[in-house]
Amino acid sequence: MTPDQWSTAFTGRIAQRLRDSRKAAGLTMAEVAQGCADRGLPEFTEHSVKNLESGRKTSITVADFVVLADVLGVPPVTLLFPLGSSATVEVLPGREVSTWDAVAWFTGESPLDEPAPEGSARDVLDVFRQHGDLVAAAMYSYALASERRRAASTTLDRTRRAALLQRAEGYEEHAFEDCQELRAFRGRMRHRDLAPPALPDELAFVDQPETPAHVEDSE
Protein backbone atom coordinates (compact mmCIF):
# COMPACT_ATOMS: atom_id res chain seq x y z
CA MET A 1 0.00 0.00 0.00
CA THR A 2 1.41 3.40 -1.00
CA PRO A 3 1.53 6.25 1.56
CA ASP A 4 -1.41 7.95 -0.17
CA GLN A 5 -3.43 4.74 -0.11
CA TRP A 6 -2.51 4.16 3.52
CA SER A 7 -3.69 7.64 4.50
CA THR A 8 -7.05 7.12 2.81
CA ALA A 9 -7.40 3.64 4.29
CA PHE A 10 -6.50 4.95 7.76
CA THR A 11 -9.22 7.62 7.57
CA GLY A 12 -11.64 5.03 6.23
CA ARG A 13 -10.94 2.83 9.24
CA ILE A 14 -11.66 5.74 11.57
CA ALA A 15 -14.89 6.42 9.68
CA GLN A 16 -15.95 2.79 10.08
CA ARG A 17 -15.26 2.89 13.81
CA LEU A 18 -17.14 6.18 14.10
CA ARG A 19 -20.14 4.74 12.28
CA ASP A 20 -20.14 1.61 14.46
CA SER A 21 -19.79 3.70 17.64
CA ARG A 22 -22.56 6.08 16.56
CA LYS A 23 -24.96 3.22 15.95
CA ALA A 24 -23.97 1.52 19.22
CA ALA A 25 -24.72 4.78 21.04
CA GLY A 26 -28.08 5.06 19.28
CA LEU A 27 -27.26 8.48 17.82
CA THR A 28 -28.36 9.90 14.49
CA MET A 29 -25.96 11.86 12.30
CA ALA A 30 -27.86 15.02 13.20
CA GLU A 31 -27.38 14.28 16.90
CA VAL A 32 -23.66 13.75 16.41
CA ALA A 33 -23.42 17.08 14.57
CA GLN A 34 -25.34 18.78 17.38
CA GLY A 35 -22.98 17.23 19.90
CA CYS A 36 -20.05 18.69 17.99
CA ALA A 37 -21.70 22.11 17.97
CA ASP A 38 -22.36 21.87 21.71
CA ARG A 39 -18.64 21.27 22.22
CA GLY A 40 -17.61 24.30 20.18
CA LEU A 41 -17.18 22.64 16.78
CA PRO A 42 -20.23 23.79 14.76
CA GLU A 43 -18.38 23.44 11.47
CA PHE A 44 -18.58 19.65 11.72
CA THR A 45 -22.13 19.42 10.42
CA GLU A 46 -24.49 16.56 9.68
CA HIS A 47 -23.28 16.80 6.08
CA SER A 48 -19.70 16.32 7.35
CA VAL A 49 -20.74 13.20 9.24
CA LYS A 50 -22.44 11.80 6.14
CA ASN A 51 -19.43 12.51 3.94
CA LEU A 52 -17.06 10.91 6.44
CA GLU A 53 -19.12 7.76 6.91
CA SER A 54 -19.73 7.37 3.17
CA GLY A 55 -16.05 7.73 2.30
CA ARG A 56 -16.44 10.97 0.39
CA LYS A 57 -14.45 12.75 3.08
CA THR A 58 -10.97 11.20 3.05
CA SER A 59 -9.31 13.19 5.82
CA ILE A 60 -10.13 14.40 9.32
CA THR A 61 -8.46 16.92 11.60
CA VAL A 62 -7.23 16.08 15.08
CA ALA A 63 -9.74 18.56 16.50
CA ASP A 64 -12.63 16.86 14.67
CA PHE A 65 -11.38 13.47 15.80
CA VAL A 66 -11.17 14.18 19.54
CA VAL A 67 -14.51 16.00 19.62
CA LEU A 68 -16.23 13.16 17.78
CA ALA A 69 -14.77 10.64 20.23
CA ASP A 70 -16.18 12.67 23.12
CA VAL A 71 -19.59 12.98 21.48
CA LEU A 72 -19.70 9.21 20.98
CA GLY A 73 -18.39 8.52 24.49
CA VAL A 74 -15.48 6.32 23.41
CA PRO A 75 -11.72 6.47 24.10
CA PRO A 76 -10.14 8.16 21.05
CA VAL A 77 -7.56 5.41 20.61
CA THR A 78 -10.32 2.84 20.00
CA LEU A 79 -11.33 4.78 16.89
CA LEU A 80 -7.82 4.58 15.49
CA PHE A 81 -7.21 0.86 15.74
CA PRO A 82 -9.72 -2.02 15.31
CA LEU A 83 -8.95 -3.68 18.63
CA GLY A 84 -11.01 -6.84 19.00
CA SER A 85 -12.14 -7.00 15.39
CA SER A 86 -8.81 -7.33 13.58
CA ALA A 87 -5.67 -9.20 14.67
CA THR A 88 -3.29 -6.90 12.78
CA VAL A 89 -3.27 -3.39 11.42
CA GLU A 90 -1.01 -1.37 9.12
CA VAL A 91 0.00 1.13 11.77
CA LEU A 92 2.26 3.04 9.36
CA PRO A 93 2.76 2.69 5.60
CA GLY A 94 4.22 -0.77 5.04
CA ARG A 95 4.36 -1.57 8.78
CA GLU A 96 1.85 -4.22 9.83
CA VAL A 97 1.76 -5.13 13.53
CA SER A 98 -0.71 -6.71 15.91
CA THR A 99 -3.56 -4.35 16.74
CA TRP A 100 -2.73 -4.45 20.46
CA ASP A 101 0.90 -3.56 19.73
CA ALA A 102 -0.38 -0.63 17.65
CA VAL A 103 -2.47 0.61 20.59
CA ALA A 104 0.48 0.18 22.97
CA TRP A 105 2.79 2.06 20.62
CA PHE A 106 0.29 4.91 20.26
CA THR A 107 -0.15 5.28 24.02
CA GLY A 108 3.57 4.93 24.77
CA GLU A 109 3.30 1.54 26.44
CA SER A 110 5.34 -0.51 24.01
CA PRO A 111 8.10 -2.41 25.85
CA LEU A 112 11.66 -1.21 25.60
CA ASP A 113 14.87 -3.17 26.12
CA GLU A 114 16.30 -0.30 28.17
CA PRO A 115 14.67 2.32 30.44
CA ALA A 116 13.65 5.49 28.66
CA PRO A 117 16.18 8.33 29.04
CA GLU A 118 15.18 10.72 31.81
CA GLY A 119 13.24 13.67 30.43
CA SER A 120 12.23 11.88 27.23
CA ALA A 121 8.59 11.79 26.21
CA ARG A 122 8.38 8.08 27.06
CA ASP A 123 9.96 8.69 30.46
CA VAL A 124 7.41 11.38 31.33
CA LEU A 125 4.57 9.01 30.37
CA ASP A 126 6.06 6.32 32.59
CA VAL A 127 6.35 8.76 35.52
CA PHE A 128 2.69 9.73 35.31
CA ARG A 129 1.60 6.11 34.97
CA GLN A 130 3.61 5.22 38.07
CA HIS A 131 1.97 8.12 39.89
CA GLY A 132 -1.43 6.76 38.91
CA ASP A 133 -0.47 3.34 40.28
CA LEU A 134 0.56 4.88 43.61
CA VAL A 135 -2.71 6.80 43.89
CA ALA A 136 -4.70 3.66 43.11
CA ALA A 137 -2.77 1.65 45.73
CA ALA A 138 -3.41 4.24 48.45
CA MET A 139 -7.10 4.52 47.58
CA TYR A 140 -7.47 0.74 47.60
CA SER A 141 -5.80 0.36 51.00
CA TYR A 142 -8.05 3.01 52.54
CA ALA A 143 -11.12 1.45 50.96
CA LEU A 144 -10.27 -1.96 52.39
CA ALA A 145 -9.67 -0.50 55.86
CA SER A 146 -12.93 1.43 55.72
CA GLU A 147 -14.87 -1.64 54.62
CA ARG A 148 -13.42 -3.75 57.46
CA ARG A 149 -14.29 -1.09 60.04
CA ARG A 150 -17.80 -0.78 58.64
CA ALA A 151 -18.25 -4.55 58.84
CA ALA A 152 -16.89 -4.56 62.40
CA SER A 153 -19.43 -1.94 63.45
CA THR A 154 -22.35 -4.04 62.25
CA THR A 155 -21.44 -7.49 63.57
CA LEU A 156 -22.55 -8.79 66.97
CA ASP A 157 -19.86 -11.47 67.00
CA ARG A 158 -17.06 -10.15 69.25
CA THR A 159 -14.46 -12.51 67.82
CA ARG A 160 -15.29 -11.50 64.27
CA ARG A 161 -15.31 -7.82 65.27
CA ALA A 162 -11.85 -8.11 66.76
CA ALA A 163 -10.56 -9.86 63.65
CA LEU A 164 -12.07 -7.23 61.35
CA LEU A 165 -10.61 -4.38 63.38
CA GLN A 166 -7.21 -6.05 63.31
CA ARG A 167 -7.40 -6.33 59.53
CA ALA A 168 -8.51 -2.70 59.29
CA GLU A 169 -5.47 -1.60 61.27
CA GLY A 170 -3.25 -3.59 58.95
CA TYR A 171 -4.76 -1.98 55.86
CA GLU A 172 -4.44 1.46 57.49
CA GLU A 173 -0.74 0.81 58.01
CA HIS A 174 -0.43 -0.10 54.33
CA ALA A 175 -2.38 3.05 53.39
CA PHE A 176 -0.06 5.19 55.53
CA GLU A 177 2.99 3.69 53.83
CA ASP A 178 1.37 4.11 50.40
CA CYS A 179 0.71 7.79 51.14
CA GLN A 180 4.25 8.35 52.34
CA GLU A 181 5.54 6.86 49.11
CA LEU A 182 3.08 8.95 47.09
CA ARG A 183 4.14 12.15 48.89
CA ALA A 184 7.81 11.44 48.18
CA PHE A 185 7.09 10.59 44.55
CA ARG A 186 5.15 13.83 44.02
CA GLY A 187 8.08 15.69 45.54
CA ARG A 188 10.44 14.11 43.05
CA MET A 189 8.09 15.04 40.23
CA ARG A 190 8.12 18.68 41.28
CA HIS A 191 11.89 18.57 41.58
CA ARG A 192 11.91 17.60 37.89
CA ASP A 193 9.56 20.52 37.10
CA LEU A 194 6.70 18.11 36.40
CA ALA A 195 3.29 19.20 37.70
CA PRO A 196 1.67 16.24 39.51
CA PRO A 197 -2.01 15.58 38.76
CA ALA A 198 -4.60 16.74 41.27
CA LEU A 199 -5.25 14.17 43.98
CA PRO A 200 -8.65 12.72 44.84
CA ASP A 201 -10.30 14.55 47.74
CA GLU A 202 -9.64 11.55 49.98
CA LEU A 203 -5.88 11.95 49.45
CA ALA A 204 -5.67 15.75 49.45
CA PHE A 205 -3.80 15.63 52.78
CA VAL A 206 -0.82 14.05 50.99
CA ASP A 207 0.19 17.49 49.67
CA GLN A 208 -0.08 19.12 53.08
CA PRO A 209 3.15 19.67 55.04
CA GLU A 210 3.93 16.90 57.46
CA THR A 211 3.44 17.84 61.09
CA PRO A 212 6.50 16.93 63.16
CA ALA A 213 5.80 14.51 65.93
CA HIS A 214 5.75 16.15 69.36
CA VAL A 215 8.39 14.79 71.69
CA GLU A 216 7.85 15.52 75.36
CA ASP A 217 10.78 16.56 77.46
CA SER A 218 11.97 13.79 79.73
CA GLU A 219 11.86 14.57 83.41
Side-chain angles (χ1 to χ4, degrees):
M1 187 180 294
T2 67
D4 287 344
Q5 292 173 326
W6 173 85
S7 177
T8 300
F10 193 89
T11 303
R13 187 168 66 240
I14 293 174
Q16 176 66 49
R17 303 288 284 187
L18 284 168
R19 179 168 54 252
D20 293 344
S21 298
R22 177 179 65 79
K23 291 181 177 180
L27 297 174
T28 65
M29 293 182 182
E31 289 170 333
V32 171
Q34 184 59 55
C36 290
D38 293 342
R39 289 161 176 76
L41 195 70
E43 58 270 27
F44 204 89
T45 63
E46 180 180 1
H47 188 63
S48 302
V49 179
K50 289 180 180 178
N51 283 342
L52 183 61
E53 290 194 4
S54 67
R56 289 191 295 272
K57 182 176 176 61
T58 59
S59 64
I60 184 172
T61 69
V62 174
D64 294 343
F65 173 74
V66 295
V67 169
L68 283 166
D70 188 60
V71 171
L72 297 171
V74 297
V77 71
T78 64
L79 298 176
L80 294 174
F81 306 110
L83 189 62
S85 60
S86 178
T88 63
V89 65
E90 191 173 3
V91 65
L92 292 170
R95 182 180 173 186
E96 184 116 1
V97 300
S98 79
T99 306
W100 177 243
D101 285 345
V103 172
W105 166 75
F106 189 83
T107 58
E109 296 175 291
S110 53
L112 297 176
D113 293 334
E114 298 180 0
E118 184 171 322
S120 66
R122 171 61 193 272
D123 174 56
V124 172
L125 282 172
D126 289 344
V127 167
F128 277 82
R129 288 197 178 96
Q130 187 175 351
H131 178 274
D133 291 341
L134 293 174
V135 169
M139 292 290 290
Y140 187 58
S141 295
Y142 274 119
L144 288 173
S146 178
E147 173 56 27
R148 296 308 184 275
R149 288 198 175 276
R150 185 202 63 77
S153 70
T154 60
T155 184
L156 298 178
D157 186 324
R158 292 183 178 180
T159 301
R160 175 170 167 73
R161 183 185 303 115
L164 287 168
L165 290 174
Q166 185 176 17
R167 291 179 188 175
E169 290 174 1
Y171 287 129
E172 286 164 352
E173 290 179 6
H174 284 305
F176 176 79
E177 294 170 357
D178 290 339
C179 288
Q180 290 292 94
E181 185 178 1
L182 178 59
R183 176 182 282 116
F185 192 84
R186 289 171 70 83
R188 292 195 295 273
M189 290 180 71
R190 294 187 180 97
H191 184 71
R192 291 181 53 181
D193 293 326
L194 298 175
L199 290 167
D201 291 342
E202 298 90 335
L203 298 181
F205 66 88
V206 168
D207 278 341
Q208 296 173 0
E210 291 188 85
T211 303
H214 177 66
V215 180
E216 296 185 1
D217 294 332
S218 59
E219 297 184 5

